[in-house]
């Protein structure tokens, strides 16, 4: 049933009553405020995006100064330059002021050569004397940084692995941009050299019973400090060269059965004499490890902290490289006695901070995240706690790992290079270097050496840099 409604009729000539205008909708009434709010939102989004992009650029730029960080990757790899076999060792010591310095025997003598690390172009060649001979090996070490850097080059002639055929060898100190020889000196063939804080370090016997490390100005030879070891039973004149390894804020001097940890001022931090012919290496945070491998039983190691504290361990070294220095009070090892598990230890007292079943084959540390490559996965862990941030399965072992600050680049050492997003491990792209280099055979592929490039060695011994 319909409902009747009362309707009031208005006569045509009756005056009209003023009624209020229809009230506009909420949207119309607040259109001004809405437009303003929308503008604010857009401005905020743009500002956030701009700020985020600027932050990313700043972060990538800061990481560019970290040793081992790659030049920016964009999904394609192209040949940047190539060094033939005679000069390929230059990649290991790295550039001095942007120049890779190498040496090789040529018809008529021994020649040093400068190669621009960005373009691969030859910058200069310099003949040097005395000529170490037709089968000489050469090694050039950058000392110092920036425009003040020099290259210290040495050459020698060995007829066998340990057979020394000359009593001494020459060091040439070279200006890397011009190739000019600034000075030269002679060292015993068994002496070892390294670089630390702009000084050239030289390790050699001080006499029949002591070893000595001296830090000198590479050009003038003026000593900054000298460390002389305690007496070494059996004498200091051994055929093997000493091991001289720069570590954080110092250097390790190693001869069979002995290790001395020396700080950047030439003061002794720790001395270990246990008779073992252990290999010693630097860890993070000033710690050092000496280890001998015991076959299936794993490692027998000794850890020495920055304050000289020493303890035994079943663990082996985990090389974290690149490493931006975040979480500076931790160092990382792998425990073969526990299936190769990852161990984070305090650099203050050596205690275990956390342990993970991840068994890393390679590792990178950036902004508090430890990225570990394993036999079948990439894993991102919080460096301070060990908490897993993400895990990405891969179809090949991650033999080597690096980053350009945006992507993680991984290789199994053969020919394939894969890039993964750092924030979640999503694979971004993959390149087979056999296609890039137009060859079916590669010697090795990896992030080795001291340049900012992916490097591939060819069957003839040449090394190709890719970017």
């Amino acid at each position: 049933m319909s409902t009747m409604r009362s309707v009031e009729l208005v006569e045509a000539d009756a005056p009209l009553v003023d009624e209020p205008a229809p009230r506009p909708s909420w949207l119309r009434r607040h259109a001004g405020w809405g437009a303003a709010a929308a503008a604010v939102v857009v401005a905020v989004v743009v500002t956030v995006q701009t700020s985020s992009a600027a932050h990313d650029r700043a972060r990538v730029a800061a990481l560019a100064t970290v040793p081992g960080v790659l030049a920016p990757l964009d999904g394609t790899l192209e040949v940047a330059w190539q060094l033939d076999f005679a000069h390929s060792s230059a990649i290991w010591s790295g550039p001095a002021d942007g120049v890779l310095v190498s040496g090789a025997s040529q018809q008529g003598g021994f020649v040093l050569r400068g190669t621009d690390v960005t373009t691969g172009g030859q910058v200069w060649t310099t003949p040097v004397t005395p000529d170490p001979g037709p089968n000489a090996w050469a090694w050039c070490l950058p000392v110092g940084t920036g425009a003040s850097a020099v290259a210290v080059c040495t050459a020698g002639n060995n007829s066998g692995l340990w057979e020394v055929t000359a009593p001494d060898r020459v060091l040439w100190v070279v200006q890397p941009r011009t190739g000019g020889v600034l000075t030269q000196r002679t060292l015993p063939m068994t002496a070892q050299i390294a670089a630390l804080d702009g000084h050239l370090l030289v390790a050699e016997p001080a006499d029949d019973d002591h070893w000595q490390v001296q830090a000198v100005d590479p050009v003038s030879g003026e000593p900054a400090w000298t460390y002389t070891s305690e007496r070494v039973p059996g004498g200091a004149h051994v055929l093997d060269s000493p091991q001289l390894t720069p570590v954080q804020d110092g250097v390790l001097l190693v001869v069979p059965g002995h290790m001395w940890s020396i700080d950047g001022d030439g003061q002794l931090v720790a001395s270990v004499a246990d008779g073992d012919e252990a290999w010693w290496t630097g860890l993070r945070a000033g710690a050092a490890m000496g280890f001998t491998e015991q076959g299936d039983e794993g490692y027998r190691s000794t850890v020495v902290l920055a304050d000289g504290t020493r303890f035994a361990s079943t663990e082996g070294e985990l090389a974290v490289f690149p490493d931006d220095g975040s979480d500076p009070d931790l160092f990382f090892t792998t425990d073969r006695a526990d299936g190769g598990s990852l161990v984070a230890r305090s650099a203050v007292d050596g205690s275990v901070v956390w342990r993970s079943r991840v068994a890393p084959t390679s590792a990178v540390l950036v902004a508090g995240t430890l990225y570990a490559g394993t036999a079948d996965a990439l894993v991102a862990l919080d460096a301070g706690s060990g908490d897993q941030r993400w895990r990405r399965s891969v179809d090949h072992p991650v033999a080597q790992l690096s980053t350009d600050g945006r992507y993680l680049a991984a290789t199994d050492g053969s020919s394939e290079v894969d890039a993964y997003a750092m924030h979640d491990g999503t694979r971004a792209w993959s390149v087979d270097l056999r296609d890039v280099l137009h060859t079916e055979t590669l010697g090795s592929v990896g992030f080795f050496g001291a340049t900012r490039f992916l490097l591939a060695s060819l069957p003839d011994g040449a090394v190709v840099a890719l970017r």
Side-chain angles (χ1 to χ4, degrees), residues 151-185:
V152 178
C153 297
T154 186
N157 196 316
N158 288 1
S159 59
L161 183 60
W162 297 115
E163 184 180 353
V164 179
T165 59
D168 52 33
R169 56 190 164 101
V170 174
L171 296 186
W172 299 280
V173 181
V174 180
Q175 210 293 326
R177 280 289 164 185
T178 66
V181 176
L182 303 174
T183 187
Q184 69 181 55
R185 60 183 293 189

PDB file of all heavy atoms in Angstrom, residues 151-185:
ATOM      1  N   ALA A 151     105.546   3.869  -6.366  1.00  0.00           N
ATOM      2  CA  ALA A 151     105.596   2.426  -6.601  1.00  0.00           C
ATOM      3  C   ALA A 151     107.004   1.949  -6.296  1.00  0.00           C
ATOM      4  O   ALA A 151     107.975   2.502  -6.819  1.00  0.00           O
ATOM      5  CB  ALA A 151     105.220   2.099  -8.041  1.00  0.00           C
ATOM      6  N   VAL A 152     107.108   0.951  -5.418  1.00  0.00           N
ATOM      7  CA  VAL A 152     108.410   0.354  -5.105  1.00  0.00           C
ATOM      8  C   VAL A 152     108.473  -0.979  -5.828  1.00  0.00           C
ATOM      9  O   VAL A 152     107.696  -1.894  -5.548  1.00  0.00           O
ATOM     10  CB  VAL A 152     108.578   0.164  -3.591  1.00  0.00           C
ATOM     11  CG1 VAL A 152     109.919  -0.506  -3.293  1.00  0.00           C
ATOM     12  CG2 VAL A 152     108.481   1.501  -2.867  1.00  0.00           C
ATOM     13  N   CYS A 153     109.376  -1.076  -6.796  1.00  0.00           N
ATOM     14  CA  CYS A 153     109.472  -2.260  -7.645  1.00  0.00           C
ATOM     15  C   CYS A 153     110.747  -3.027  -7.338  1.00  0.00           C
ATOM     16  O   CYS A 153     111.792  -2.428  -7.060  1.00  0.00           O
ATOM     17  CB  CYS A 153     109.480  -1.860  -9.117  1.00  0.00           C
ATOM     18  SG  CYS A 153     107.961  -1.048  -9.671  1.00  0.00           S
ATOM     19  N   THR A 154     110.636  -4.326  -7.406  1.00  0.00           N
ATOM     20  CA  THR A 154     111.799  -5.172  -7.216  1.00  0.00           C
ATOM     21  C   THR A 154     111.757  -6.294  -8.235  1.00  0.00           C
ATOM     22  O   THR A 154     110.692  -6.645  -8.749  1.00  0.00           O
ATOM     23  CB  THR A 154     111.851  -5.750  -5.788  1.00  0.00           C
ATOM     24  OG1 THR A 154     113.071  -6.466  -5.606  1.00  0.00           O
ATOM     25  CG2 THR A 154     110.683  -6.675  -5.520  1.00  0.00           C
ATOM     26  N   ALA A 155     112.888  -6.840  -8.541  1.00  0.00           N
ATOM     27  CA  ALA A 155     112.973  -7.942  -9.493  1.00  0.00           C
ATOM     28  C   ALA A 155     114.073  -8.887  -9.055  1.00  0.00           C
ATOM     29  O   ALA A 155     115.056  -8.488  -8.423  1.00  0.00           O
ATOM     30  CB  ALA A 155     113.250  -7.421 -10.902  1.00  0.00           C
ATOM     31  N   GLY A 156     113.881 -10.142  -9.357  1.00  0.00           N
ATOM     32  CA  GLY A 156     114.875 -11.146  -9.007  1.00  0.00           C
ATOM     33  C   GLY A 156     114.842 -12.271 -10.013  1.00  0.00           C
ATOM     34  O   GLY A 156     113.938 -12.346 -10.848  1.00  0.00           O
ATOM     35  N   ASN A 157     115.822 -13.158  -9.920  1.00  0.00           N
ATOM     36  CA  ASN A 157     115.928 -14.242 -10.879  1.00  0.00           C
ATOM     37  C   ASN A 157     116.079 -15.537 -10.116  1.00  0.00           C
ATOM     38  O   ASN A 157     117.111 -15.794  -9.491  1.00  0.00           O
ATOM     39  CB  ASN A 157     117.131 -14.014 -11.795  1.00  0.00           C
ATOM     40  CG  ASN A 157     117.049 -14.878 -13.035  1.00  0.00           C
ATOM     41  OD1 ASN A 157     116.733 -16.048 -12.959  1.00  0.00           O
ATOM     42  ND2 ASN A 157     117.332 -14.266 -14.174  1.00  0.00           N
ATOM     43  N   ASN A 158     115.019 -16.354 -10.122  1.00  0.00           N
ATOM     44  CA  ASN A 158     115.049 -17.648  -9.453  1.00  0.00           C
ATOM     45  C   ASN A 158     115.036 -18.760 -10.486  1.00  0.00           C
ATOM     46  O   ASN A 158     114.293 -18.708 -11.461  1.00  0.00           O
ATOM     47  CB  ASN A 158     113.824 -17.824  -8.544  1.00  0.00           C
ATOM     48  CG  ASN A 158     113.919 -16.956  -7.299  1.00  0.00           C
ATOM     49  OD1 ASN A 158     114.877 -16.224  -7.130  1.00  0.00           O
ATOM     50  ND2 ASN A 158     112.925 -17.061  -6.450  1.00  0.00           N
ATOM     51  N   SER A 159     115.861 -19.799 -10.258  1.00  0.00           N
ATOM     52  CA  SER A 159     115.862 -20.944 -11.161  1.00  0.00           C
ATOM     53  C   SER A 159     115.008 -22.080 -10.624  1.00  0.00           C
ATOM     54  O   SER A 159     114.818 -23.087 -11.293  1.00  0.00           O
ATOM     55  CB  SER A 159     117.292 -21.438 -11.387  1.00  0.00           C
ATOM     56  OG  SER A 159     117.881 -21.794 -10.158  1.00  0.00           O
ATOM     57  N   GLY A 160     114.490 -21.942  -9.424  1.00  0.00           N
ATOM     58  CA  GLY A 160     113.637 -22.951  -8.809  1.00  0.00           C
ATOM     59  C   GLY A 160     112.798 -22.315  -7.733  1.00  0.00           C
ATOM     60  O   GLY A 160     112.908 -21.114  -7.456  1.00  0.00           O
ATOM     61  N   LEU A 161     111.933 -23.135  -7.090  1.00  0.00           N
ATOM     62  CA  LEU A 161     111.001 -22.575  -6.118  1.00  0.00           C
ATOM     63  C   LEU A 161     111.722 -21.874  -4.978  1.00  0.00           C
ATOM     64  O   LEU A 161     111.346 -20.787  -4.569  1.00  0.00           O
ATOM     65  CB  LEU A 161     110.101 -23.693  -5.575  1.00  0.00           C
ATOM     66  CG  LEU A 161     109.025 -23.262  -4.595  1.00  0.00           C
ATOM     67  CD1 LEU A 161     108.086 -22.268  -5.245  1.00  0.00           C
ATOM     68  CD2 LEU A 161     108.248 -24.481  -4.097  1.00  0.00           C
ATOM     69  N   TRP A 162     112.776 -22.512  -4.450  1.00  0.00           N
ATOM     70  CA  TRP A 162     113.484 -21.908  -3.320  1.00  0.00           C
ATOM     71  C   TRP A 162     114.951 -21.612  -3.633  1.00  0.00           C
ATOM     72  O   TRP A 162     115.668 -21.099  -2.794  1.00  0.00           O
ATOM     73  CB  TRP A 162     113.421 -22.839  -2.101  1.00  0.00           C
ATOM     74  CG  TRP A 162     112.024 -23.067  -1.617  1.00  0.00           C
ATOM     75  CD1 TRP A 162     111.340 -24.239  -1.626  1.00  0.00           C
ATOM     76  CD2 TRP A 162     111.135 -22.096  -1.076  1.00  0.00           C
ATOM     77  NE1 TRP A 162     110.075 -24.058  -1.128  1.00  0.00           N
ATOM     78  CE2 TRP A 162     109.930 -22.758  -0.775  1.00  0.00           C
ATOM     79  CE3 TRP A 162     111.235 -20.727  -0.825  1.00  0.00           C
ATOM     80  CZ2 TRP A 162     108.834 -22.098  -0.231  1.00  0.00           C
ATOM     81  CZ3 TRP A 162     110.138 -20.074  -0.277  1.00  0.00           C
ATOM     82  CH2 TRP A 162     108.964 -20.763   0.012  1.00  0.00           C
ATOM     83  N   GLU A 163     115.398 -21.969  -4.809  1.00  0.00           N
ATOM     84  CA  GLU A 163     116.823 -21.796  -5.113  1.00  0.00           C
ATOM     85  C   GLU A 163     117.107 -20.359  -5.525  1.00  0.00           C
ATOM     86  O   GLU A 163     116.673 -19.893  -6.574  1.00  0.00           O
ATOM     87  CB  GLU A 163     117.255 -22.757  -6.230  1.00  0.00           C
ATOM     88  CG  GLU A 163     118.755 -22.691  -6.516  1.00  0.00           C
ATOM     89  CD  GLU A 163     119.154 -23.646  -7.630  1.00  0.00           C
ATOM     90  OE1 GLU A 163     118.284 -24.421  -8.059  1.00  0.00           O
ATOM     91  OE2 GLU A 163     120.319 -23.601  -8.048  1.00  0.00           O
ATOM     92  N   VAL A 164     117.827 -19.658  -4.698  1.00  0.00           N
ATOM     93  CA  VAL A 164     118.159 -18.266  -4.975  1.00  0.00           C
ATOM     94  C   VAL A 164     119.463 -18.217  -5.756  1.00  0.00           C
ATOM     95  O   VAL A 164     120.467 -18.790  -5.345  1.00  0.00           O
ATOM     96  CB  VAL A 164     118.295 -17.466  -3.660  1.00  0.00           C
ATOM     97  CG1 VAL A 164     118.661 -16.025  -3.952  1.00  0.00           C
ATOM     98  CG2 VAL A 164     116.997 -17.534  -2.865  1.00  0.00           C
ATOM     99  N   THR A 165     119.442 -17.547  -6.899  1.00  0.00           N
ATOM    100  CA  THR A 165     120.623 -17.543  -7.764  1.00  0.00           C
ATOM    101  C   THR A 165     121.373 -16.219  -7.725  1.00  0.00           C
ATOM    102  O   THR A 165     122.296 -16.018  -8.480  1.00  0.00           O
ATOM    103  CB  THR A 165     120.209 -17.839  -9.215  1.00  0.00           C
ATOM    104  OG1 THR A 165     119.275 -16.854  -9.646  1.00  0.00           O
ATOM    105  CG2 THR A 165     119.580 -19.224  -9.315  1.00  0.00           C
ATOM    106  N   ALA A 166     120.940 -15.304  -6.859  1.00  0.00           N
ATOM    107  CA  ALA A 166     121.660 -14.038  -6.719  1.00  0.00           C
ATOM    108  C   ALA A 166     121.648 -13.650  -5.246  1.00  0.00           C
ATOM    109  O   ALA A 166     120.704 -13.943  -4.523  1.00  0.00           O
ATOM    110  CB  ALA A 166     121.002 -12.949  -7.564  1.00  0.00           C
ATOM    111  N   PRO A 167     122.710 -13.017  -4.758  1.00  0.00           N
ATOM    112  CA  PRO A 167     122.779 -12.685  -3.332  1.00  0.00           C
ATOM    113  C   PRO A 167     121.903 -11.508  -2.928  1.00  0.00           C
ATOM    114  O   PRO A 167     121.589 -11.344  -1.759  1.00  0.00           O
ATOM    115  CB  PRO A 167     124.263 -12.360  -3.118  1.00  0.00           C
ATOM    116  CG  PRO A 167     124.716 -11.857  -4.470  1.00  0.00           C
ATOM    117  CD  PRO A 167     123.944 -12.646  -5.470  1.00  0.00           C
ATOM    118  N   ASP A 168     121.516 -10.685  -3.878  1.00  0.00           N
ATOM    119  CA  ASP A 168     120.721  -9.516  -3.523  1.00  0.00           C
ATOM    120  C   ASP A 168     119.841  -9.099  -4.700  1.00  0.00           C
ATOM    121  O   ASP A 168     119.913  -9.670  -5.782  1.00  0.00           O
ATOM    122  CB  ASP A 168     121.617  -8.353  -3.071  1.00  0.00           C
ATOM    123  CG  ASP A 168     122.723  -8.059  -4.083  1.00  0.00           C
ATOM    124  OD1 ASP A 168     122.493  -8.245  -5.292  1.00  0.00           O
ATOM    125  OD2 ASP A 168     123.815  -7.643  -3.671  1.00  0.00           O
ATOM    126  N   ARG A 169     119.027  -8.111  -4.477  1.00  0.00           N
ATOM    127  CA  ARG A 169     118.162  -7.585  -5.533  1.00  0.00           C
ATOM    128  C   ARG A 169     117.980  -6.090  -5.325  1.00  0.00           C
ATOM    129  O   ARG A 169     118.231  -5.557  -4.238  1.00  0.00           O
ATOM    130  CB  ARG A 169     116.816  -8.297  -5.551  1.00  0.00           C
ATOM    131  CG  ARG A 169     116.041  -8.266  -4.243  1.00  0.00           C
ATOM    132  CD  ARG A 169     114.859  -9.215  -4.336  1.00  0.00           C
ATOM    133  NE  ARG A 169     114.283  -9.519  -3.046  1.00  0.00           N
ATOM    134  CZ  ARG A 169     113.171  -8.965  -2.574  1.00  0.00           C
ATOM    135  NH1 ARG A 169     112.541  -8.061  -3.296  1.00  0.00           N
ATOM    136  NH2 ARG A 169     112.693  -9.304  -1.399  1.00  0.00           N
ATOM    137  N   VAL A 170     117.504  -5.437  -6.362  1.00  0.00           N
ATOM    138  CA  VAL A 170     117.390  -3.981  -6.364  1.00  0.00           C
ATOM    139  C   VAL A 170     115.937  -3.574  -6.149  1.00  0.00           C
ATOM    140  O   VAL A 170     115.010  -4.234  -6.642  1.00  0.00           O
ATOM    141  CB  VAL A 170     117.915  -3.404  -7.697  1.00  0.00           C
ATOM    142  CG1 VAL A 170     117.676  -1.901  -7.772  1.00  0.00           C
ATOM    143  CG2 VAL A 170     119.394  -3.721  -7.859  1.00  0.00           C
ATOM    144  N   LEU A 171     115.747  -2.491  -5.413  1.00  0.00           N
ATOM    145  CA  LEU A 171     114.441  -1.836  -5.314  1.00  0.00           C
ATOM    146  C   LEU A 171     114.519  -0.523  -6.095  1.00  0.00           C
ATOM    147  O   LEU A 171     115.409   0.293  -5.851  1.00  0.00           O
ATOM    148  CB  LEU A 171     114.079  -1.517  -3.860  1.00  0.00           C
ATOM    149  CG  LEU A 171     113.890  -2.662  -2.878  1.00  0.00           C
ATOM    150  CD1 LEU A 171     113.400  -2.099  -1.548  1.00  0.00           C
ATOM    151  CD2 LEU A 171     112.906  -3.690  -3.401  1.00  0.00           C
ATOM    152  N   TRP A 172     113.575  -0.333  -7.024  1.00  0.00           N
ATOM    153  CA  TRP A 172     113.448   0.940  -7.714  1.00  0.00           C
ATOM    154  C   TRP A 172     112.211   1.654  -7.177  1.00  0.00           C
ATOM    155  O   TRP A 172     111.115   1.079  -7.178  1.00  0.00           O
ATOM    156  CB  TRP A 172     113.285   0.744  -9.219  1.00  0.00           C
ATOM    157  CG  TRP A 172     114.439   0.048  -9.877  1.00  0.00           C
ATOM    158  CD1 TRP A 172     115.639   0.600 -10.243  1.00  0.00           C
ATOM    159  CD2 TRP A 172     114.489  -1.317 -10.282  1.00  0.00           C
ATOM    160  NE1 TRP A 172     116.439  -0.339 -10.838  1.00  0.00           N
ATOM    161  CE2 TRP A 172     115.759  -1.529 -10.876  1.00  0.00           C
ATOM    162  CE3 TRP A 172     113.597  -2.399 -10.192  1.00  0.00           C
ATOM    163  CZ2 TRP A 172     116.156  -2.764 -11.378  1.00  0.00           C
ATOM    164  CZ3 TRP A 172     113.989  -3.622 -10.691  1.00  0.00           C
ATOM    165  CH2 TRP A 172     115.251  -3.806 -11.276  1.00  0.00           C
ATOM    166  N   VAL A 173     112.354   2.879  -6.730  1.00  0.00           N
ATOM    167  CA  VAL A 173     111.220   3.677  -6.267  1.00  0.00           C
ATOM    168  C   VAL A 173     110.826   4.604  -7.402  1.00  0.00           C
ATOM    169  O   VAL A 173     111.628   5.438  -7.849  1.00  0.00           O
ATOM    170  CB  VAL A 173     111.576   4.476  -5.001  1.00  0.00           C
ATOM    171  CG1 VAL A 173     110.369   5.287  -4.529  1.00  0.00           C
ATOM    172  CG2 VAL A 173     112.051   3.534  -3.895  1.00  0.00           C
ATOM    173  N   VAL A 174     109.575   4.461  -7.873  1.00  0.00           N
ATOM    174  CA  VAL A 174     109.155   5.074  -9.129  1.00  0.00           C
ATOM    175  C   VAL A 174     108.001   6.035  -8.899  1.00  0.00           C
ATOM    176  O   VAL A 174     107.083   5.751  -8.122  1.00  0.00           O
ATOM    177  CB  VAL A 174     108.724   3.977 -10.137  1.00  0.00           C
ATOM    178  CG1 VAL A 174     108.285   4.586 -11.461  1.00  0.00           C
ATOM    179  CG2 VAL A 174     109.857   2.980 -10.341  1.00  0.00           C
ATOM    180  N   GLN A 175     108.050   7.177  -9.583  1.00  0.00           N
ATOM    181  CA  GLN A 175     106.912   8.097  -9.607  1.00  0.00           C
ATOM    182  C   GLN A 175     105.878   7.509 -10.563  1.00  0.00           C
ATOM    183  O   GLN A 175     106.141   7.377 -11.758  1.00  0.00           O
ATOM    184  CB  GLN A 175     107.361   9.484 -10.087  1.00  0.00           C
ATOM    185  CG  GLN A 175     106.567  10.646  -9.522  1.00  0.00           C
ATOM    186  CD  GLN A 175     105.117  10.659 -10.008  1.00  0.00           C
ATOM    187  OE1 GLN A 175     104.816  10.281 -11.124  1.00  0.00           O
ATOM    188  NE2 GLN A 175     104.206  11.114  -9.157  1.00  0.00           N
ATOM    189  N   PRO A 176     104.684   7.137 -10.060  1.00  0.00           N
ATOM    190  CA  PRO A 176     103.784   6.315 -10.886  1.00  0.00           C
ATOM    191  C   PRO A 176     103.196   7.020 -12.096  1.00  0.00           C
ATOM    192  O   PRO A 176     102.840   6.367 -13.068  1.00  0.00           O
ATOM    193  CB  PRO A 176     102.685   5.899  -9.896  1.00  0.00           C
ATOM    194  CG  PRO A 176     102.737   6.911  -8.806  1.00  0.00           C
ATOM    195  CD  PRO A 176     104.167   7.320  -8.694  1.00  0.00           C
ATOM    196  N   ARG A 177     103.072   8.337 -12.068  1.00  0.00           N
ATOM    197  CA  ARG A 177     102.472   9.041 -13.199  1.00  0.00           C
ATOM    198  C   ARG A 177     103.474   9.327 -14.322  1.00  0.00           C
ATOM    199  O   ARG A 177     103.079   9.474 -15.480  1.00  0.00           O
ATOM    200  CB  ARG A 177     101.837  10.345 -12.722  1.00  0.00           C
ATOM    201  CG  ARG A 177     100.477  10.166 -12.082  1.00  0.00           C
ATOM    202  CD  ARG A 177      99.454   9.793 -13.131  1.00  0.00           C
ATOM    203  NE  ARG A 177      98.219   9.257 -12.568  1.00  0.00           N
ATOM    204  CZ  ARG A 177      97.232   8.770 -13.300  1.00  0.00           C
ATOM    205  NH1 ARG A 177      97.353   8.741 -14.617  1.00  0.00           N
ATOM    206  NH2 ARG A 177      96.155   8.288 -12.743  1.00  0.00           N
ATOM    207  N   THR A 178     104.754   9.404 -13.984  1.00  0.00           N
ATOM    208  CA  THR A 178     105.755   9.739 -15.003  1.00  0.00           C
ATOM    209  C   THR A 178     106.704   8.594 -15.314  1.00  0.00           C
ATOM    210  O   THR A 178     107.338   8.589 -16.376  1.00  0.00           O
ATOM    211  CB  THR A 178     106.592  10.941 -14.550  1.00  0.00           C
ATOM    212  OG1 THR A 178     107.371  10.574 -13.400  1.00  0.00           O
ATOM    213  CG2 THR A 178     105.690  12.129 -14.200  1.00  0.00           C
ATOM    214  N   GLY A 179     106.840   7.653 -14.387  1.00  0.00           N
ATOM    215  CA  GLY A 179     107.799   6.568 -14.579  1.00  0.00           C
ATOM    216  C   GLY A 179     109.208   6.927 -14.191  1.00  0.00           C
ATOM    217  O   GLY A 179     110.125   6.110 -14.363  1.00  0.00           O
ATOM    218  N   GLY A 180     109.409   8.118 -13.655  1.00  0.00           N
ATOM    219  CA  GLY A 180     110.752   8.514 -13.245  1.00  0.00           C
ATOM    220  C   GLY A 180     111.223   7.727 -12.029  1.00  0.00           C
ATOM    221  O   GLY A 180     110.469   7.539 -11.070  1.00  0.00           O
ATOM    222  N   VAL A 181     112.463   7.260 -12.071  1.00  0.00           N
ATOM    223  CA  VAL A 181     113.039   6.538 -10.934  1.00  0.00           C
ATOM    224  C   VAL A 181     113.538   7.560  -9.921  1.00  0.00           C
ATOM    225  O   VAL A 181     114.467   8.331 -10.201  1.00  0.00           O
ATOM    226  CB  VAL A 181     114.180   5.608 -11.387  1.00  0.00           C
ATOM    227  CG1 VAL A 181     114.824   4.935 -10.181  1.00  0.00           C
ATOM    228  CG2 VAL A 181     113.656   4.568 -12.361  1.00  0.00           C
ATOM    229  N   LEU A 182     112.918   7.576  -8.735  1.00  0.00           N
ATOM    230  CA  LEU A 182     113.260   8.556  -7.704  1.00  0.00           C
ATOM    231  C   LEU A 182     114.502   8.147  -6.931  1.00  0.00           C
ATOM    232  O   LEU A 182     115.306   9.000  -6.553  1.00  0.00           O
ATOM    233  CB  LEU A 182     112.076   8.740  -6.751  1.00  0.00           C
ATOM    234  CG  LEU A 182     110.753   9.166  -7.413  1.00  0.00           C
ATOM    235  CD1 LEU A 182     109.618   9.184  -6.397  1.00  0.00           C
ATOM    236  CD2 LEU A 182     110.912  10.536  -8.064  1.00  0.00           C
ATOM    237  N   THR A 183     114.623   6.865  -6.683  1.00  0.00           N
ATOM    238  CA  THR A 183     115.807   6.366  -5.975  1.00  0.00           C
ATOM    239  C   THR A 183     115.839   4.851  -6.131  1.00  0.00           C
ATOM    240  O   THR A 183     114.862   4.239  -6.574  1.00  0.00           O
ATOM    241  CB  THR A 183     115.759   6.734  -4.473  1.00  0.00           C
ATOM    242  OG1 THR A 183     116.995   6.383  -3.852  1.00  0.00           O
ATOM    243  CG2 THR A 183     114.624   5.996  -3.768  1.00  0.00           C
ATOM    244  N   GLN A 184     116.964   4.245  -5.812  1.00  0.00           N
ATOM    245  CA  GLN A 184     117.038   2.791  -5.801  1.00  0.00           C
ATOM    246  C   GLN A 184     117.975   2.351  -4.693  1.00  0.00           C
ATOM    247  O   GLN A 184     118.844   3.113  -4.251  1.00  0.00           O
ATOM    248  CB  GLN A 184     117.479   2.233  -7.150  1.00  0.00           C
ATOM    249  CG  GLN A 184     118.918   2.498  -7.554  1.00  0.00           C
ATOM    250  CD  GLN A 184     119.236   1.910  -8.922  1.00  0.00           C
ATOM    251  OE1 GLN A 184     118.570   2.202  -9.912  1.00  0.00           O
ATOM    252  NE2 GLN A 184     120.261   1.069  -8.980  1.00  0.00           N
ATOM    253  N   ARG A 185     117.751   1.128  -4.200  1.00  0.00           N
ATOM    254  CA  ARG A 185     118.589   0.564  -3.143  1.00  0.00           C
ATOM    255  C   ARG A 185     118.678  -0.930  -3.354  1.00  0.00           C
ATOM    256  O   ARG A 185     117.924  -1.511  -4.147  1.00  0.00           O
ATOM    257  CB  ARG A 185     118.027   0.880  -1.754  1.00  0.00           C
ATOM    258  CG  ARG A 185     116.628   0.331  -1.524  1.00  0.00           C
ATOM    259  CD  ARG A 185     116.053   0.720  -0.175  1.00  0.00           C
ATOM    260  NE  ARG A 185     116.775   0.108   0.926  1.00  0.00           N
ATOM    261  CZ  ARG A 185     116.351   0.162   2.189  1.00  0.00           C
ATOM    262  NH1 ARG A 185     115.232   0.825   2.481  1.00  0.00           N
ATOM    263  NH2 ARG A 185     117.030  -0.410   3.146  1.00  0.00           N
TER     264      ARG A 185
END
